[in-house]
Amino acid sequence: MVNSEDIKLIPEALSNLKPNAKWVAKDAEIQWLDEKIPKPTDDEIKAEINRLKIVKEKEEQRQEAKAKKDKALQANTYALSDGSVYQVRPQDLPNFQLAIAQGKDTDWILADNTVRTTTIDELKEILENGIKQAKAIYQEYIDTLKSIEK
């Protein structure tokens, strides 16, 4: 009826097709125990298995896209013209906002763990560009999710 890769989906397929039915499945063999609920046809079972495979594949693609987005956000940096590289990950944004709100230059730990005195204008530039980069990362994620659903 189905190939060995699909055998593990038989119980889920049968449960979806006939949720209250009584049956036993051993490998690809189905023993139908329910006398009130008719057994689904082989074609119905195959169609449900194919639908489940598509659902599972799409979920794997969504999880891969999410992991890629999360990795990109965690690697988000911005370099000033002097080459100083700042991390602008989601967890860093409140630190920028707080430092800007304080209204004075501040010592900042850079991506390479060195310290640089950073002006308010530089902090604003870094924050603005970090947000732009994050928006681009999210847009790529959204586009990927939309393409998966097609």
PDB file of all heavy atoms in Angstrom, residues 66-97:
ATOM      1  N   LYS A  66      13.153  30.187  10.397  1.00  0.00           N
ATOM      2  CA  LYS A  66      13.206  30.835  11.717  1.00  0.00           C
ATOM      3  C   LYS A  66      14.624  30.786  12.277  1.00  0.00           C
ATOM      4  O   LYS A  66      15.128  31.790  12.794  1.00  0.00           O
ATOM      5  CB  LYS A  66      12.230  30.165  12.673  1.00  0.00           C
ATOM      6  CG  LYS A  66      12.179  30.790  14.054  1.00  0.00           C
ATOM      7  CD  LYS A  66      11.215  30.045  14.964  1.00  0.00           C
ATOM      8  CE  LYS A  66      11.083  30.677  16.319  1.00  0.00           C
ATOM      9  NZ  LYS A  66      12.303  30.654  17.113  1.00  0.00           N
ATOM     10  N   ALA A  67      15.271  29.640  12.161  1.00  0.00           N
ATOM     11  CA  ALA A  67      16.643  29.508  12.662  1.00  0.00           C
ATOM     12  C   ALA A  67      17.582  30.449  11.918  1.00  0.00           C
ATOM     13  O   ALA A  67      18.456  31.079  12.524  1.00  0.00           O
ATOM     14  CB  ALA A  67      17.118  28.063  12.534  1.00  0.00           C
ATOM     15  N   LYS A  68      17.392  30.559  10.608  1.00  0.00           N
ATOM     16  CA  LYS A  68      18.222  31.467   9.800  1.00  0.00           C
ATOM     17  C   LYS A  68      17.997  32.915  10.237  1.00  0.00           C
ATOM     18  O   LYS A  68      18.953  33.682  10.396  1.00  0.00           O
ATOM     19  CB  LYS A  68      17.889  31.297   8.319  1.00  0.00           C
ATOM     20  CG  LYS A  68      18.695  32.176   7.409  1.00  0.00           C
ATOM     21  CD  LYS A  68      18.327  31.972   5.944  1.00  0.00           C
ATOM     22  CE  LYS A  68      19.109  32.933   5.055  1.00  0.00           C
ATOM     23  NZ  LYS A  68      18.716  32.813   3.653  1.00  0.00           N
ATOM     24  N   LYS A  69      16.728  33.286  10.464  1.00  0.00           N
ATOM     25  CA  LYS A  69      16.406  34.645  10.914  1.00  0.00           C
ATOM     26  C   LYS A  69      17.028  34.918  12.276  1.00  0.00           C
ATOM     27  O   LYS A  69      17.671  35.944  12.490  1.00  0.00           O
ATOM     28  CB  LYS A  69      14.886  34.823  10.974  1.00  0.00           C
ATOM     29  CG  LYS A  69      14.402  36.169  11.451  1.00  0.00           C
ATOM     30  CD  LYS A  69      13.649  36.224  12.740  1.00  0.00           C
ATOM     31  CE  LYS A  69      12.808  35.071  13.144  1.00  0.00           C
ATOM     32  NZ  LYS A  69      12.537  35.033  14.586  1.00  0.00           N
ATOM     33  N   ASP A  70      16.860  33.979  13.203  1.00  0.00           N
ATOM     34  CA  ASP A  70      17.410  34.159  14.550  1.00  0.00           C
ATOM     35  C   ASP A  70      18.929  34.290  14.517  1.00  0.00           C
ATOM     36  O   ASP A  70      19.502  35.136  15.215  1.00  0.00           O
ATOM     37  CB  ASP A  70      17.009  32.994  15.451  1.00  0.00           C
ATOM     38  CG  ASP A  70      15.520  32.996  15.782  1.00  0.00           C
ATOM     39  OD1 ASP A  70      14.848  34.034  15.572  1.00  0.00           O
ATOM     40  OD2 ASP A  70      15.024  31.947  16.246  1.00  0.00           O
ATOM     41  N   LYS A  71      19.580  33.473  13.696  1.00  0.00           N
ATOM     42  CA  LYS A  71      21.043  33.539  13.570  1.00  0.00           C
ATOM     43  C   LYS A  71      21.472  34.888  12.997  1.00  0.00           C
ATOM     44  O   LYS A  71      22.425  35.500  13.485  1.00  0.00           O
ATOM     45  CB  LYS A  71      21.537  32.387  12.691  1.00  0.00           C
ATOM     46  CG  LYS A  71      23.036  32.311  12.585  1.00  0.00           C
ATOM     47  CD  LYS A  71      23.470  31.102  11.766  1.00  0.00           C
ATOM     48  CE  LYS A  71      24.987  31.056  11.655  1.00  0.00           C
ATOM     49  NZ  LYS A  71      25.439  29.906  10.866  1.00  0.00           N
ATOM     50  N   ALA A  72      20.761  35.355  11.978  1.00  0.00           N
ATOM     51  CA  ALA A  72      21.099  36.649  11.369  1.00  0.00           C
ATOM     52  C   ALA A  72      20.911  37.789  12.367  1.00  0.00           C
ATOM     53  O   ALA A  72      21.739  38.705  12.438  1.00  0.00           O
ATOM     54  CB  ALA A  72      20.257  36.879  10.115  1.00  0.00           C
ATOM     55  N   LEU A  73      19.834  37.749  13.134  1.00  0.00           N
ATOM     56  CA  LEU A  73      19.606  38.802  14.132  1.00  0.00           C
ATOM     57  C   LEU A  73      20.699  38.797  15.197  1.00  0.00           C
ATOM     58  O   LEU A  73      21.145  39.861  15.642  1.00  0.00           O
ATOM     59  CB  LEU A  73      18.233  38.631  14.789  1.00  0.00           C
ATOM     60  CG  LEU A  73      17.024  38.990  13.925  1.00  0.00           C
ATOM     61  CD1 LEU A  73      15.738  38.587  14.627  1.00  0.00           C
ATOM     62  CD2 LEU A  73      17.017  40.472  13.583  1.00  0.00           C
ATOM     63  N   GLN A  74      21.141  37.615  15.605  1.00  0.00           N
ATOM     64  CA  GLN A  74      22.184  37.522  16.630  1.00  0.00           C
ATOM     65  C   GLN A  74      23.553  37.954  16.096  1.00  0.00           C
ATOM     66  O   GLN A  74      24.435  38.312  16.873  1.00  0.00           O
ATOM     67  CB  GLN A  74      22.249  36.117  17.214  1.00  0.00           C
ATOM     68  CG  GLN A  74      21.045  35.768  18.062  1.00  0.00           C
ATOM     69  CD  GLN A  74      20.800  36.792  19.166  1.00  0.00           C
ATOM     70  OE1 GLN A  74      21.691  37.151  19.921  1.00  0.00           O
ATOM     71  NE2 GLN A  74      19.563  37.274  19.252  1.00  0.00           N
ATOM     72  N   ALA A  75      23.726  37.908  14.778  1.00  0.00           N
ATOM     73  CA  ALA A  75      24.998  38.314  14.169  1.00  0.00           C
ATOM     74  C   ALA A  75      24.959  39.768  13.679  1.00  0.00           C
ATOM     75  O   ALA A  75      25.942  40.252  13.104  1.00  0.00           O
ATOM     76  CB  ALA A  75      25.329  37.383  12.997  1.00  0.00           C
ATOM     77  N   ASN A  76      23.865  40.465  13.922  1.00  0.00           N
ATOM     78  CA  ASN A  76      23.674  41.820  13.407  1.00  0.00           C
ATOM     79  C   ASN A  76      24.681  42.785  14.027  1.00  0.00           C
ATOM     80  O   ASN A  76      24.743  42.926  15.247  1.00  0.00           O
ATOM     81  CB  ASN A  76      22.240  42.281  13.700  1.00  0.00           C
ATOM     82  CG  ASN A  76      21.804  43.444  12.849  1.00  0.00           C
ATOM     83  OD1 ASN A  76      22.471  43.820  11.897  1.00  0.00           O
ATOM     84  ND2 ASN A  76      20.661  44.010  13.187  1.00  0.00           N
ATOM     85  N   THR A  77      25.477  43.411  13.169  1.00  0.00           N
ATOM     86  CA  THR A  77      26.467  44.393  13.615  1.00  0.00           C
ATOM     87  C   THR A  77      26.410  45.614  12.711  1.00  0.00           C
ATOM     88  O   THR A  77      25.857  45.577  11.615  1.00  0.00           O
ATOM     89  CB  THR A  77      27.900  43.822  13.575  1.00  0.00           C
ATOM     90  OG1 THR A  77      28.206  43.420  12.242  1.00  0.00           O
ATOM     91  CG2 THR A  77      28.062  42.653  14.534  1.00  0.00           C
ATOM     92  N   TYR A  78      27.021  46.696  13.192  1.00  0.00           N
ATOM     93  CA  TYR A  78      27.155  47.908  12.386  1.00  0.00           C
ATOM     94  C   TYR A  78      28.538  48.486  12.650  1.00  0.00           C
ATOM     95  O   TYR A  78      28.966  48.568  13.802  1.00  0.00           O
ATOM     96  CB  TYR A  78      26.071  48.934  12.747  1.00  0.00           C
ATOM     97  CG  TYR A  78      26.173  50.190  11.926  1.00  0.00           C
ATOM     98  CD1 TYR A  78      25.811  50.197  10.586  1.00  0.00           C
ATOM     99  CD2 TYR A  78      26.678  51.362  12.478  1.00  0.00           C
ATOM    100  CE1 TYR A  78      25.922  51.346   9.827  1.00  0.00           C
ATOM    101  CE2 TYR A  78      26.793  52.510  11.723  1.00  0.00           C
ATOM    102  CZ  TYR A  78      26.413  52.502  10.391  1.00  0.00           C
ATOM    103  OH  TYR A  78      26.543  53.636   9.635  1.00  0.00           O
ATOM    104  N   ALA A  79      29.210  48.889  11.568  1.00  0.00           N
ATOM    105  CA  ALA A  79      30.556  49.457  11.692  1.00  0.00           C
ATOM    106  C   ALA A  79      30.523  50.958  11.402  1.00  0.00           C
ATOM    107  O   ALA A  79      29.950  51.388  10.401  1.00  0.00           O
ATOM    108  CB  ALA A  79      31.514  48.758  10.741  1.00  0.00           C
ATOM    109  N   LEU A  80      31.135  51.713  12.280  1.00  0.00           N
ATOM    110  CA  LEU A  80      31.306  53.142  12.031  1.00  0.00           C
ATOM    111  C   LEU A  80      32.424  53.340  11.012  1.00  0.00           C
ATOM    112  O   LEU A  80      33.180  52.407  10.699  1.00  0.00           O
ATOM    113  CB  LEU A  80      31.637  53.867  13.340  1.00  0.00           C
ATOM    114  CG  LEU A  80      30.516  53.935  14.370  1.00  0.00           C
ATOM    115  CD1 LEU A  80      31.014  54.600  15.652  1.00  0.00           C
ATOM    116  CD2 LEU A  80      29.302  54.674  13.818  1.00  0.00           C
ATOM    117  N   SER A  81      32.572  54.562  10.543  1.00  0.00           N
ATOM    118  CA  SER A  81      33.572  54.851   9.504  1.00  0.00           C
ATOM    119  C   SER A  81      35.001  54.580   9.969  1.00  0.00           C
ATOM    120  O   SER A  81      35.880  54.322   9.145  1.00  0.00           O
ATOM    121  CB  SER A  81      33.441  56.295   9.018  1.00  0.00           C
ATOM    122  OG  SER A  81      33.620  57.188  10.107  1.00  0.00           O
ATOM    123  N   ASP A  82      35.238  54.592  11.282  1.00  0.00           N
ATOM    124  CA  ASP A  82      36.594  54.307  11.782  1.00  0.00           C
ATOM    125  C   ASP A  82      36.857  52.808  11.932  1.00  0.00           C
ATOM    126  O   ASP A  82      37.915  52.393  12.392  1.00  0.00           O
ATOM    127  CB  ASP A  82      36.854  55.027  13.107  1.00  0.00           C
ATOM    128  CG  ASP A  82      36.038  54.479  14.274  1.00  0.00           C
ATOM    129  OD1 ASP A  82      35.195  53.576  14.063  1.00  0.00           O
ATOM    130  OD2 ASP A  82      36.241  54.965  15.400  1.00  0.00           O
ATOM    131  N   GLY A  83      35.840  51.972  11.574  1.00  0.00           N
ATOM    132  CA  GLY A  83      36.004  50.526  11.651  1.00  0.00           C
ATOM    133  C   GLY A  83      35.534  49.913  12.955  1.00  0.00           C
ATOM    134  O   GLY A  83      35.577  48.694  13.105  1.00  0.00           O
ATOM    135  N   SER A  84      35.085  50.709  13.884  1.00  0.00           N
ATOM    136  CA  SER A  84      34.566  50.180  15.144  1.00  0.00           C
ATOM    137  C   SER A  84      33.264  49.428  14.864  1.00  0.00           C
ATOM    138  O   SER A  84      32.340  49.969  14.255  1.00  0.00           O
ATOM    139  CB  SER A  84      34.292  51.307  16.138  1.00  0.00           C
ATOM    140  OG  SER A  84      35.487  52.014  16.418  1.00  0.00           O
ATOM    141  N   VAL A  85      33.205  48.179  15.330  1.00  0.00           N
ATOM    142  CA  VAL A  85      32.047  47.331  15.042  1.00  0.00           C
ATOM    143  C   VAL A  85      31.215  47.163  16.308  1.00  0.00           C
ATOM    144  O   VAL A  85      31.713  46.712  17.344  1.00  0.00           O
ATOM    145  CB  VAL A  85      32.487  45.949  14.497  1.00  0.00           C
ATOM    146  CG1 VAL A  85      31.282  45.056  14.234  1.00  0.00           C
ATOM    147  CG2 VAL A  85      33.323  46.113  13.227  1.00  0.00           C
ATOM    148  N   TYR A  86      29.935  47.495  16.189  1.00  0.00           N
ATOM    149  CA  TYR A  86      28.982  47.424  17.288  1.00  0.00           C
ATOM    150  C   TYR A  86      27.986  46.303  17.034  1.00  0.00           C
ATOM    151  O   TYR A  86      27.505  46.143  15.913  1.00  0.00           O
ATOM    152  CB  TYR A  86      28.208  48.743  17.418  1.00  0.00           C
ATOM    153  CG  TYR A  86      29.057  49.895  17.876  1.00  0.00           C
ATOM    154  CD1 TYR A  86      29.963  50.518  17.011  1.00  0.00           C
ATOM    155  CD2 TYR A  86      28.957  50.366  19.174  1.00  0.00           C
ATOM    156  CE1 TYR A  86      30.755  51.570  17.435  1.00  0.00           C
ATOM    157  CE2 TYR A  86      29.740  51.430  19.603  1.00  0.00           C
ATOM    158  CZ  TYR A  86      30.637  52.027  18.734  1.00  0.00           C
ATOM    159  OH  TYR A  86      31.414  53.070  19.157  1.00  0.00           O
ATOM    160  N   GLN A  87      27.660  45.568  18.079  1.00  0.00           N
ATOM    161  CA  GLN A  87      26.603  44.573  17.984  1.00  0.00           C
ATOM    162  C   GLN A  87      25.267  45.283  18.131  1.00  0.00           C
ATOM    163  O   GLN A  87      25.098  46.087  19.049  1.00  0.00           O
ATOM    164  CB  GLN A  87      26.755  43.513  19.074  1.00  0.00           C
ATOM    165  CG  GLN A  87      27.999  42.670  18.898  1.00  0.00           C
ATOM    166  CD  GLN A  87      28.201  41.735  20.078  1.00  0.00           C
ATOM    167  OE1 GLN A  87      28.249  42.176  21.212  1.00  0.00           O
ATOM    168  NE2 GLN A  87      28.331  40.457  19.777  1.00  0.00           N
ATOM    169  N   VAL A  88      24.350  44.982  17.233  1.00  0.00           N
ATOM    170  CA  VAL A  88      23.005  45.556  17.298  1.00  0.00           C
ATOM    171  C   VAL A  88      21.983  44.412  17.199  1.00  0.00           C
ATOM    172  O   VAL A  88      21.138  44.395  16.332  1.00  0.00           O
ATOM    173  CB  VAL A  88      22.756  46.643  16.232  1.00  0.00           C
ATOM    174  CG1 VAL A  88      23.142  47.997  16.726  1.00  0.00           C
ATOM    175  CG2 VAL A  88      23.463  46.343  14.930  1.00  0.00           C
ATOM    176  N   ARG A  89      22.130  43.511  18.141  1.00  0.00           N
ATOM    177  CA  ARG A  89      21.200  42.387  18.243  1.00  0.00           C
ATOM    178  C   ARG A  89      19.944  42.875  18.956  1.00  0.00           C
ATOM    179  O   ARG A  89      19.961  43.938  19.602  1.00  0.00           O
ATOM    180  CB  ARG A  89      21.858  41.251  19.039  1.00  0.00           C
ATOM    181  CG  ARG A  89      23.194  40.802  18.448  1.00  0.00           C
ATOM    182  CD  ARG A  89      23.994  40.016  19.440  1.00  0.00           C
ATOM    183  NE  ARG A  89      24.251  40.839  20.627  1.00  0.00           N
ATOM    184  CZ  ARG A  89      24.958  40.444  21.663  1.00  0.00           C
ATOM    185  NH1 ARG A  89      25.479  39.235  21.701  1.00  0.00           N
ATOM    186  NH2 ARG A  89      25.152  41.238  22.700  1.00  0.00           N
ATOM    187  N   PRO A  90      18.860  42.146  18.873  1.00  0.00           N
ATOM    188  CA  PRO A  90      17.631  42.589  19.553  1.00  0.00           C
ATOM    189  C   PRO A  90      17.850  42.886  21.039  1.00  0.00           C
ATOM    190  O   PRO A  90      17.314  43.872  21.556  1.00  0.00           O
ATOM    191  CB  PRO A  90      16.671  41.409  19.353  1.00  0.00           C
ATOM    192  CG  PRO A  90      17.106  40.803  18.059  1.00  0.00           C
ATOM    193  CD  PRO A  90      18.609  40.942  18.055  1.00  0.00           C
ATOM    194  N   GLN A  91      18.651  42.076  21.712  1.00  0.00           N
ATOM    195  CA  GLN A  91      18.864  42.298  23.144  1.00  0.00           C
ATOM    196  C   GLN A  91      19.735  43.528  23.425  1.00  0.00           C
ATOM    197  O   GLN A  91      19.803  43.990  24.564  1.00  0.00           O
ATOM    198  CB  GLN A  91      19.453  41.050  23.816  1.00  0.00           C
ATOM    199  CG  GLN A  91      20.845  40.675  23.353  1.00  0.00           C
ATOM    200  CD  GLN A  91      20.877  39.634  22.256  1.00  0.00           C
ATOM    201  OE1 GLN A  91      19.987  39.581  21.420  1.00  0.00           O
ATOM    202  NE2 GLN A  91      21.902  38.797  22.243  1.00  0.00           N
ATOM    203  N   ASP A  92      20.407  44.073  22.405  1.00  0.00           N
ATOM    204  CA  ASP A  92      21.243  45.254  22.586  1.00  0.00           C
ATOM    205  C   ASP A  92      20.463  46.562  22.430  1.00  0.00           C
ATOM    206  O   ASP A  92      20.907  47.608  22.912  1.00  0.00           O
ATOM    207  CB  ASP A  92      22.398  45.260  21.570  1.00  0.00           C
ATOM    208  CG  ASP A  92      23.317  44.069  21.731  1.00  0.00           C
ATOM    209  OD1 ASP A  92      23.662  43.736  22.882  1.00  0.00           O
ATOM    210  OD2 ASP A  92      23.681  43.461  20.710  1.00  0.00           O
ATOM    211  N   LEU A  93      19.327  46.515  21.758  1.00  0.00           N
ATOM    212  CA  LEU A  93      18.598  47.744  21.438  1.00  0.00           C
ATOM    213  C   LEU A  93      18.195  48.547  22.679  1.00  0.00           C
ATOM    214  O   LEU A  93      18.354  49.770  22.681  1.00  0.00           O
ATOM    215  CB  LEU A  93      17.392  47.434  20.547  1.00  0.00           C
ATOM    216  CG  LEU A  93      17.744  46.790  19.197  1.00  0.00           C
ATOM    217  CD1 LEU A  93      16.497  46.599  18.353  1.00  0.00           C
ATOM    218  CD2 LEU A  93      18.803  47.570  18.442  1.00  0.00           C
ATOM    219  N   PRO A  94      17.720  47.928  23.755  1.00  0.00           N
ATOM    220  CA  PRO A  94      17.399  48.736  24.948  1.00  0.00           C
ATOM    221  C   PRO A  94      18.617  49.460  25.520  1.00  0.00           C
ATOM    222  O   PRO A  94      18.492  50.575  26.047  1.00  0.00           O
ATOM    223  CB  PRO A  94      16.852  47.711  25.950  1.00  0.00           C
ATOM    224  CG  PRO A  94      16.375  46.570  25.116  1.00  0.00           C
ATOM    225  CD  PRO A  94      17.307  46.537  23.930  1.00  0.00           C
ATOM    226  N   ASN A  95      19.790  48.858  25.401  1.00  0.00           N
ATOM    227  CA  ASN A  95      21.004  49.522  25.896  1.00  0.00           C
ATOM    228  C   ASN A  95      21.284  50.790  25.101  1.00  0.00           C
ATOM    229  O   ASN A  95      21.679  51.814  25.664  1.00  0.00           O
ATOM    230  CB  ASN A  95      22.198  48.570  25.818  1.00  0.00           C
ATOM    231  CG  ASN A  95      22.030  47.370  26.718  1.00  0.00           C
ATOM    232  OD1 ASN A  95      21.332  47.420  27.715  1.00  0.00           O
ATOM    233  ND2 ASN A  95      22.673  46.272  26.348  1.00  0.00           N
ATOM    234  N   PHE A  96      21.086  50.720  23.781  1.00  0.00           N
ATOM    235  CA  PHE A  96      21.272  51.916  22.953  1.00  0.00           C
ATOM    236  C   PHE A  96      20.252  52.981  23.330  1.00  0.00           C
ATOM    237  O   PHE A  96      20.596  54.159  23.493  1.00  0.00           O
ATOM    238  CB  PHE A  96      21.143  51.570  21.459  1.00  0.00           C
ATOM    239  CG  PHE A  96      22.362  50.910  20.887  1.00  0.00           C
ATOM    240  CD1 PHE A  96      22.428  49.537  20.768  1.00  0.00           C
ATOM    241  CD2 PHE A  96      23.450  51.658  20.476  1.00  0.00           C
ATOM    242  CE1 PHE A  96      23.548  48.908  20.247  1.00  0.00           C
ATOM    243  CE2 PHE A  96      24.577  51.046  19.952  1.00  0.00           C
ATOM    244  CZ  PHE A  96      24.629  49.676  19.840  1.00  0.00           C
ATOM    245  N   GLN A  97      18.994  52.575  23.461  1.00  0.00           N
ATOM    246  CA  GLN A  97      17.938  53.529  23.796  1.00  0.00           C
ATOM    247  C   GLN A  97      18.195  54.189  25.149  1.00  0.00           C
ATOM    248  O   GLN A  97      18.024  55.404  25.299  1.00  0.00           O
ATOM    249  CB  GLN A  97      16.577  52.823  23.777  1.00  0.00           C
ATOM    250  CG  GLN A  97      16.191  52.370  22.378  1.00  0.00           C
ATOM    251  CD  GLN A  97      15.063  51.346  22.355  1.00  0.00           C
ATOM    252  OE1 GLN A  97      14.841  50.629  23.329  1.00  0.00           O
ATOM    253  NE2 GLN A  97      14.365  51.269  21.231  1.00  0.00           N
TER     254      GLN A  97
END
